[in-house]
Amino acid sequence: MSIENVKQYLKRVGMEQRIMELAQSSATVEEAASAIGCRPCQIAKTLSFLAAENPILIVTAGDAKVDNKKYKNIFHEKAKMIPADQVETYIGHAPGGVCPFAVHPGVIVYLDQSLRRFEKVYPAAGNGHSAVSLSLEELETYSCSAGWIDVCKGWCLESDTKNDNV
């Protein structure tokens, strides 16, 4: 049902044609990149956390890892991921299809700086066989983002990534 909610949401904003329903799994960064035909770093993975016991989403580049020290500096507590069996209850999407669209009311979405290297990124679209192609501006707008944060490490700033329009 989650992908249907995302389709309805993106249809209201005129973006439904961007949804890709994929034959192969897109539940992991590697699977999504293979299914779409892009680099893993261009996958906009959406991570689910509890901050002050409230659900939040942080959308990061596929090659980024959350840095606990940076996370704590922003949220003033240790990073606490939502257990997989509770993600759908808190967020509205099951693991493998979590995306920053059509989430439950009160879920705050943040975008990590690791995404800024790209002109185009690919978040999931509500299930483990979907993705949506968006510019960073579109991602920021349609995710109703609360803003850009810097909570990740392990990603590499490459000089040619801004031209990566796979």
Side-chain angles (χ1 to χ4, degrees), residues 77-96:
E77 64 184 0
K78 184 178 176 183
K80 180 182 174 187
M81 291 197 77
I82 299 173
D85 64 345
Q86 297 174 27
V87 170
E88 191 166 11
T89 300
Y90 276 106
I91 305 300
H93 304 299

Side-chain angles (χ1 to χ4, degrees), residues 50-106:
L50 289 175
E53 298 306 313
N54 297 309
I56 66 168
L57 295 175
I58 302 175
V59 186
T60 75
D63 60 346
K65 306 273 188 263
V66 172
D67 180 305
N68 287 319
K69 184 177 179 182
K70 288 181 174 184
Y71 183 98
K72 191 171 185 174
N73 285 340
I74 291 174
F75 295 105
H76 310 292
E77 64 184 0
K78 184 178 176 183
K80 180 182 174 187
M81 291 197 77
I82 299 173
D85 64 345
Q86 297 174 27
V87 170
E88 191 166 11
T89 300
Y90 276 106
I91 305 300
H93 304 299
V98 176
C99 65
F101 318 107
V103 296
H104 288 320

Side-chain angles (χ1 to χ4, degrees), residues 1-162:
M1 187 61 176
S2 186
I3 190 169
E4 293 306 319
N5 293 340
V6 173
K7 284 180 180 180
Q8 289 175 14
Y9 173 75
L10 291 177
K11 184 175 184 174
R12 286 193 302 270
V13 297
M15 300 294 286
E16 75 276 12
Q17 75 282 1
R18 300 279 189 87
I19 295 175
M20 296 176 265
E21 293 191 67
L22 306 164
Q24 70 186 77
S25 175
S26 59
T28 68
V29 167
E30 292 75 19
E31 290 173 340
S34 175
I36 294 165
C38 69
R39 296 179 5 187
C41 53
Q42 287 181 276
I43 299 301
K45 65 183 176 183
T46 306
L47 304 174
S48 310
F49 294 90
L50 289 175
E53 298 306 313
N54 297 309
I56 66 168
L57 295 175
I58 302 175
V59 186
T60 75
D63 60 346
K65 306 273 188 263
V66 172
D67 180 305
N68 287 319
K69 184 177 179 182
K70 288 181 174 184
Y71 183 98
K72 191 171 185 174
N73 285 340
I74 291 174
F75 295 105
H76 310 292
E77 64 184 0
K78 184 178 176 183
K80 180 182 174 187
M81 291 197 77
I82 299 173
D85 64 345
Q86 297 174 27
V87 170
E88 191 166 11
T89 300
Y90 276 106
I91 305 300
H93 304 299
V98 176
C99 65
F101 318 107
V103 296
H104 288 320
V107 175
I108 299 172
V109 176
Y110 297 95
L111 306 177
D112 185 73
Q113 296 289 339
S114 60
L115 292 167
R116 289 200 181 233
R117 307 173 270 171
F118 307 108
E119 289 183 10
K120 187 186 295 185
V121 293
Y122 303 90
N127 72 17
H129 285 83
S130 66
V132 58
S133 171
L134 298 171
S135 70
L136 289 186
E137 183 178 313
E138 292 165 337
L139 177 64
E140 186 173 18
T141 299
Y142 302 123
S143 69
C144 302
S145 165
W148 291 91
I149 60 174
D150 181 9
V151 295
C152 287
K153 64 181 178 182
W155 55 277
C156 178
L157 181 61
E158 299 175 23
S159 61
D160 65 338
T161 55
K162 276 292 185 186

